[in-house]
Amino acid sequence: MPEPLALGVLLSGSGTNLQALIDAIAAGTLDARIAVVISNVPDAGGVARARRHGLPTVVLRHGEMPSREAYDARVVETLREHGVDLVVLAGFMRLVTTVLLRAFPARVLNIHPALLPAFPGLHAERQALVHGARITGVTVHFVDEETDHGPILAQAAVPILPDDTEEKLHVRVQRQEHRLYPFAIQLIATGRVRVDGRRVLLRDAACAIDAVLANPTPPAT
Ligand code: GRF
């Protein structure tokens, strides 16, 4: 049996995506282990969640560091100390620098609550609603030096409904995040992913060629 992929999860918030990874590992659908959880926010819900599950958890406060690069150097050190193979950003509210990206080339993933390249940055669900989009979704992508920009590994679409609020939409987007992130990481864990420039090549990953989400739904023909 190969060693399970060692994940380093970075978060600042409630950590529901961390929970989805914990659950997928427990269910046997993700061949990985969480080697360390790192947070810049000491009282983040995700920190409490990680501790509850007995995961090694490290708080690195950004206020104590002289620069973003110095902060990321501490992050890299901590990831290495815990033998991390893949860095998983899960609601980590900091821009990462080349210090982290060069230490883990094509080994840093992020999840964003929109179909990139639409609606990058903060409040992606709000942006989609304000724009009047009818379909938004979730993107799992490799991280590069630009925000919400690197090669796309997986996406899931979510329709926007007439009575949606940001909160209601967020719930449905997160439901898809919790399915997509463990699945996308499993593609890496099973060696099916190769990054070729902006494109991510997947081996033996299914896609129903007729699958479509239209909003509104046209009548069947
Ligand atoms: C998610 O919506 C993710 O897309 C964004 O940050 C949020 C983190 O949520 N990057 P949680 O802390 O995992 O619940």
Coordinates of all heavy atoms in Angstrom, one line a residue, residues 14-74:
S14 N -14.3 28.9 9.6 CA -15.1 27.8 10.3 C -14.6 26.4 10.0 O -14.8 25.5 10.8 CB -16.5 28.0 10.0 OG -16.7 27.7 8.7
G15 N -14.0 26.2 8.9 CA -13.3 24.9 8.6 C -14.3 23.9 8.2 O -14.1 22.7 8.4
T16 N -15.4 24.2 7.5 CA -16.3 23.2 7.0 C -15.7 22.4 5.9 O -15.9 21.2 5.8 CB -17.7 23.7 6.6 OG1 -17.5 24.6 5.4 CG2 -18.4 24.5 7.7
N17 N -14.8 23.0 5.1 CA -14.1 22.2 4.1 C -13.1 21.3 4.8 O -12.9 20.2 4.3 CB -13.4 23.2 3.1 CG -14.4 23.7 2.1 OD1 -14.8 22.9 1.2 ND2 -14.9 24.9 2.2
L18 N -12.4 21.7 5.8 CA -11.6 20.8 6.6 C -12.4 19.6 7.0 O -12.0 18.4 6.9 CB -11.0 21.5 7.8 CG -10.3 20.6 8.8 CD1 -9.0 19.9 8.2 CD2 -10.0 21.3 10.1
Q19 N -13.6 19.9 7.5 CA -14.5 18.8 8.0 C -14.8 17.8 6.9 O -14.8 16.6 7.1 CB -15.8 19.4 8.6 CG -16.7 18.3 9.2 CD -16.0 17.8 10.5 OE1 -15.6 18.6 11.4 NE2 -15.9 16.5 10.6
A20 N -15.0 18.3 5.7 CA -15.4 17.5 4.5 C -14.2 16.6 4.2 O -14.3 15.4 3.9 CB -15.7 18.3 3.3
L21 N -13.0 17.1 4.4 CA -11.8 16.2 4.2 C -11.6 15.2 5.2 O -11.4 14.0 4.9 CB -10.5 17.1 4.1 CG -10.5 18.2 3.0 CD1 -9.2 19.0 3.1 CD2 -10.6 17.6 1.6
I22 N -11.9 15.6 6.5 CA -11.8 14.6 7.6 C -12.8 13.5 7.3 O -12.5 12.3 7.5 CB -12.1 15.3 8.9 CG1 -11.0 16.3 9.3 CG2 -12.4 14.3 10.1 CD1 -11.4 17.3 10.5
D23 N -14.0 13.9 6.9 CA -15.1 12.9 6.7 C -14.8 12.0 5.5 O -15.1 10.8 5.6 CB -16.4 13.6 6.5 CG -16.9 14.4 7.7 OD1 -16.4 14.1 8.8 OD2 -17.9 15.2 7.6
A24 N -14.2 12.5 4.5 CA -13.9 11.7 3.3 C -12.8 10.7 3.6 O -12.8 9.6 3.2 CB -13.5 12.6 2.1
I25 N -11.8 11.2 4.4 CA -10.8 10.2 4.8 C -11.4 9.1 5.7 O -11.1 7.9 5.5 CB -9.7 11.0 5.6 CG1 -8.9 11.9 4.6 CG2 -8.7 10.0 6.3 CD1 -8.0 12.9 5.3
A26 N -12.2 9.5 6.6 CA -12.9 8.5 7.5 C -13.7 7.5 6.7 O -13.8 6.3 7.0 CB -13.7 9.2 8.6
A27 N -14.4 8.0 5.6 CA -15.2 7.2 4.8 C -14.5 6.3 3.8 O -15.0 5.5 3.1 CB -16.2 8.1 4.1
G28 N -13.2 6.6 3.7 CA -12.3 5.8 2.8 C -12.4 6.2 1.3 O -12.0 5.6 0.4
T29 N -13.0 7.4 1.1 CA -13.1 7.9 -0.3 C -11.9 8.9 -0.6 O -11.8 9.3 -1.7 CB -14.4 8.7 -0.5 OG1 -14.6 9.7 0.5 CG2 -15.5 7.7 -0.5
L30 N -11.1 9.2 0.4 CA -9.9 10.1 0.1 C -8.7 9.4 0.8 O -8.6 9.2 2.0 CB -10.1 11.5 0.7 CG -9.0 12.4 0.7 CD1 -8.4 12.6 -0.7 CD2 -9.4 13.8 1.3
D31 N -7.7 9.0 -0.1 CA -6.5 8.3 0.4 C -5.5 9.3 0.8 O -4.5 9.6 0.1 CB -6.0 7.4 -0.7 CG -7.0 6.4 -1.2 OD1 -7.7 5.9 -0.3 OD2 -7.0 6.1 -2.4
A32 N -5.8 9.9 2.0 CA -4.9 11.0 2.5 C -4.9 11.0 4.0 O -5.7 10.3 4.6 CB -5.3 12.3 1.9
R33 N -4.0 11.7 4.6 CA -4.1 12.0 6.0 C -3.8 13.5 6.2 O -3.1 14.1 5.4 CB -3.1 11.1 6.8 CG -1.6 11.5 6.5 CD -0.7 10.5 7.2 NE 0.7 10.9 6.8 CZ 1.4 11.8 7.5 NH1 1.0 12.3 8.6 NH2 2.7 12.1 7.1
I34 N -4.4 14.0 7.2 CA -4.1 15.4 7.5 C -3.0 15.5 8.5 O -3.0 15.1 9.6 CB -5.4 16.1 8.0 CG1 -6.5 16.0 7.0 CG2 -5.1 17.6 8.4 CD1 -7.8 16.5 7.4
A35 N -1.8 16.0 7.9 CA -0.6 16.0 8.7 C -0.5 17.1 9.6 O 0.1 17.0 10.7 CB 0.6 16.0 7.7
V36 N -1.1 18.3 9.2 CA -1.1 19.4 10.1 C -2.2 20.4 9.6 O -2.5 20.5 8.4 CB 0.3 20.1 10.1 CG1 0.7 20.7 8.8 CG2 0.3 21.2 11.2
V37 N -2.8 21.1 10.5 CA -3.7 22.2 10.2 C -3.0 23.5 10.7 O -2.6 23.6 11.9 CB -5.1 22.1 10.9 CG1 -5.9 23.3 10.7 CG2 -5.7 20.8 10.4
I38 N -2.9 24.5 9.9 CA -2.3 25.8 10.2 C -3.3 26.9 10.1 O -4.0 26.9 9.1 CB -1.1 26.1 9.3 CG1 0.0 24.9 9.4 CG2 -0.4 27.4 9.7 CD1 1.2 25.1 8.5
S39 N -3.4 27.7 11.1 CA -4.3 28.9 11.0 C -3.6 30.2 11.5 O -2.7 30.1 12.3 CB -5.5 28.6 11.9 OG -6.4 29.8 11.8
N40 N -4.0 31.2 10.8 CA -3.5 32.6 11.3 C -4.4 33.2 12.3 O -4.1 34.2 12.8 CB -3.3 33.5 10.1 CG -4.6 33.7 9.4 OD1 -5.5 32.9 9.3 ND2 -4.8 34.9 8.8
V41 N -5.6 32.5 12.5 CA -6.6 33.1 13.5 C -6.8 32.1 14.6 O -7.3 31.0 14.5 CB -7.9 33.2 12.7 CG1 -9.0 33.8 13.6 CG2 -7.8 34.1 11.5
P42 N -6.3 32.5 15.8 CA -6.3 31.5 16.9 C -7.6 31.0 17.3 O -7.8 29.8 17.6 CB -5.7 32.4 18.1 CG -5.1 33.6 17.5 CD -5.7 33.8 16.1
D43 N -8.7 31.8 17.2 CA -10.0 31.4 17.6 C -10.9 31.0 16.5 O -12.1 30.9 16.6 CB -10.7 32.4 18.6 CG -10.8 33.7 17.9 OD1 -10.3 33.9 16.7 OD2 -11.4 34.7 18.5
A44 N -10.3 30.7 15.3 CA -11.1 30.2 14.2 C -11.8 28.9 14.5 O -11.3 28.0 15.2 CB -10.2 30.0 13.0
G45 N -13.0 28.8 14.0 CA -13.8 27.5 14.3 C -13.0 26.3 13.8 O -13.1 25.3 14.3
G46 N -12.3 26.5 12.7 CA -11.5 25.4 12.1 C -10.4 24.9 13.0 O -10.1 23.7 13.0
V47 N -9.9 25.8 13.9 CA -8.8 25.4 14.8 C -9.5 24.5 15.9 O -8.9 23.4 16.2 CB -8.2 26.6 15.5 CG1 -7.3 26.2 16.6 CG2 -7.4 27.4 14.4
A48 N -10.6 24.9 16.4 CA -11.3 24.1 17.4 C -11.7 22.7 16.8 O -11.5 21.7 17.4 CB -12.5 24.8 17.9
R49 N -12.2 22.8 15.6 CA -12.6 21.5 14.9 C -11.4 20.6 14.7 O -11.5 19.4 15.0 CB -13.1 22.0 13.5 CG -14.0 21.0 12.8 CD -14.3 21.5 11.4 NE -15.2 22.6 11.3 CZ -16.5 22.5 11.2 NH1 -17.1 21.4 11.3 NH2 -17.3 23.6 11.0
A50 N -10.2 21.1 14.3 CA -9.0 20.3 14.1 C -8.6 19.7 15.4 O -8.3 18.5 15.5 CB -7.9 21.2 13.5
R51 N -8.7 20.5 16.5 CA -8.2 20.0 17.8 C -9.2 18.9 18.3 O -8.8 17.9 18.8 CB -8.2 21.1 18.8 CG -7.0 22.0 18.5 CD -6.6 22.9 19.7 NE -5.4 23.7 19.4 CZ -5.3 25.0 19.4 NH1 -6.4 25.7 19.8 NH2 -4.2 25.6 19.1
R52 N -10.5 19.1 18.0 CA -11.5 18.1 18.4 C -11.2 16.8 17.8 O -11.5 15.7 18.3 CB -12.9 18.6 18.0 CG -13.8 18.8 19.1 CD -15.2 19.1 18.8 NE -15.6 19.5 17.5 CZ -15.8 20.7 17.0 NH1 -15.6 21.8 17.8 NH2 -16.2 20.9 15.8
H53 N -10.7 16.8 16.6 CA -10.4 15.6 15.9 C -9.0 15.1 16.1 O -8.5 14.2 15.5 CB -10.6 15.8 14.4 CG -12.1 15.8 14.0 ND1 -12.8 14.7 13.7 CD2 -12.9 16.9 13.9 CE1 -14.0 15.0 13.5 NE2 -14.2 16.3 13.6
G54 N -8.3 15.7 17.1 CA -6.9 15.3 17.4 C -5.9 15.5 16.3 O -4.9 14.8 16.3
L55 N -6.1 16.5 15.5 CA -5.1 16.8 14.4 C -4.1 17.7 14.9 O -4.4 18.7 15.6 CB -5.9 17.4 13.2 CG -6.9 16.5 12.5 CD1 -7.7 17.3 11.5 CD2 -6.3 15.3 11.9
P56 N -2.8 17.5 14.5 CA -1.8 18.5 14.9 C -2.2 19.9 14.3 O -2.5 20.0 13.2 CB -0.5 18.0 14.1 CG -0.8 16.5 13.8 CD -2.3 16.4 13.7
T57 N -2.2 20.8 15.2 CA -2.7 22.2 14.9 C -1.7 23.2 15.3 O -1.3 23.2 16.5 CB -4.1 22.4 15.6 OG1 -4.9 21.2 15.2 CG2 -4.8 23.6 15.1
V58 N -1.4 24.1 14.4 CA -0.4 25.2 14.7 C -1.0 26.5 14.3 O -1.5 26.7 13.2 CB 0.9 24.9 13.8 CG1 1.9 26.0 14.1 CG2 1.5 23.6 14.2
V59 N -1.0 27.4 15.3 CA -1.5 28.8 15.0 C -0.2 29.7 14.8 O 0.7 29.7 15.6 CB -2.3 29.3 16.2 CG1 -2.6 30.8 16.0 CG2 -3.6 28.5 16.4
L60 N -0.2 30.3 13.6 CA 0.9 31.2 13.3 C 0.2 32.6 13.1 O -0.5 32.8 12.1 CB 1.6 30.8 12.0 CG 2.3 29.5 12.0 CD1 2.9 29.1 10.7 CD2 3.4 29.5 13.1
R61 N 0.4 33.5 14.1 CA -0.3 34.8 14.0 C 0.5 35.7 13.0 O 1.7 35.8 13.1 CB -0.3 35.5 15.4 CG -1.1 34.8 16.4 CD -0.8 35.4 17.7 NE -1.2 34.6 18.8 CZ -2.3 34.8 19.5 NH1 -3.1 35.8 19.3 NH2 -2.6 34.0 20.5
H62 N -0.2 36.3 12.1 CA 0.5 37.1 11.1 C 1.0 38.4 11.7 O 2.0 38.9 11.3 CB -0.3 37.4 9.9 CG -1.7 37.8 10.1 ND1 -2.8 37.0 10.1 CD2 -2.2 39.1 10.4 CE1 -3.9 37.7 10.4 NE2 -3.5 38.9 10.6
G63 N 0.3 38.9 12.7 CA 0.8 40.2 13.4 C 2.2 40.1 13.9 O 2.9 41.2 14.0
E64 N 2.7 38.9 14.2 CA 4.0 38.8 14.8 C 5.1 38.8 13.8 O 6.3 38.7 14.1 CB 4.0 37.5 15.6 CG 3.1 37.6 16.8 CD 2.8 36.2 17.5 OE1 3.4 35.2 17.0 OE2 2.0 36.2 18.4
M65 N 4.8 38.8 12.5 CA 5.8 38.6 11.4 C 6.1 39.9 10.7 O 5.2 40.7 10.5 CB 5.3 37.6 10.4 CG 4.8 36.3 10.9 SD 6.2 35.2 11.5 CE 5.2 34.0 12.4
P66 N 7.4 40.1 10.4 CA 7.7 41.4 9.8 C 7.2 41.6 8.3 O 7.0 42.7 7.8 CB 9.2 41.4 9.8 CG 9.6 40.0 10.0 CD 8.5 39.3 10.7
S67 N 7.0 40.5 7.6 CA 6.5 40.6 6.2 C 5.8 39.3 5.8 O 5.8 38.3 6.5 CB 7.8 40.7 5.3 OG 8.5 39.5 5.3
R68 N 5.1 39.4 4.7 CA 4.4 38.2 4.2 C 5.3 37.1 3.9 O 5.0 35.9 4.1 CB 3.7 38.6 2.8 CG 2.4 39.3 2.9 CD 1.7 39.4 1.6 NE 0.7 40.4 1.7 CZ -0.5 40.1 2.4 NH1 -0.7 39.0 2.9 NH2 -1.4 41.1 2.5
E69 N 6.5 37.4 3.4 CA 7.5 36.4 3.1 C 8.0 35.7 4.3 O 8.2 34.5 4.4 CB 8.7 37.0 2.3 CG 8.4 37.4 0.9 CD 7.5 38.6 0.7 OE1 7.4 39.4 1.7 OE2 6.9 38.8 -0.4
A70 N 8.2 36.5 5.4 CA 8.7 35.9 6.6 C 7.6 35.0 7.2 O 7.9 33.9 7.7 CB 9.0 37.0 7.6
Y71 N 6.3 35.4 7.0 CA 5.2 34.6 7.5 C 5.2 33.3 6.7 O 5.2 32.2 7.3 CB 3.9 35.3 7.3 CG 2.7 34.5 7.9 CD1 2.4 34.7 9.2 CD2 2.0 33.6 7.1 CE1 1.3 33.9 9.7 CE2 1.0 32.9 7.6 CZ 0.6 33.0 8.9 OH -0.4 32.3 9.4
D72 N 5.3 33.4 5.4 CA 5.3 32.1 4.6 C 6.5 31.2 4.9 O 6.4 30.0 4.8 CB 5.2 32.5 3.1 CG 3.8 32.9 2.7 OD1 2.9 32.9 3.6 OD2 3.5 33.1 1.5
A73 N 7.6 31.8 5.2 CA 8.8 31.0 5.6 C 8.5 30.1 6.8 O 8.8 29.0 6.9 CB 10.0 31.9 5.8
R74 N 7.7 30.7 7.8 CA 7.3 30.0 9.0 C 6.3 28.9 8.6 O 6.4 27.7 9.1 CB 6.7 30.9 10.0 CG 7.7 31.7 10.8 CD 8.5 30.9 11.8 NE 7.6 30.4 12.9 CZ 7.4 29.2 13.2 NH1 8.0 28.2 12.6 NH2 6.6 28.9 14.3

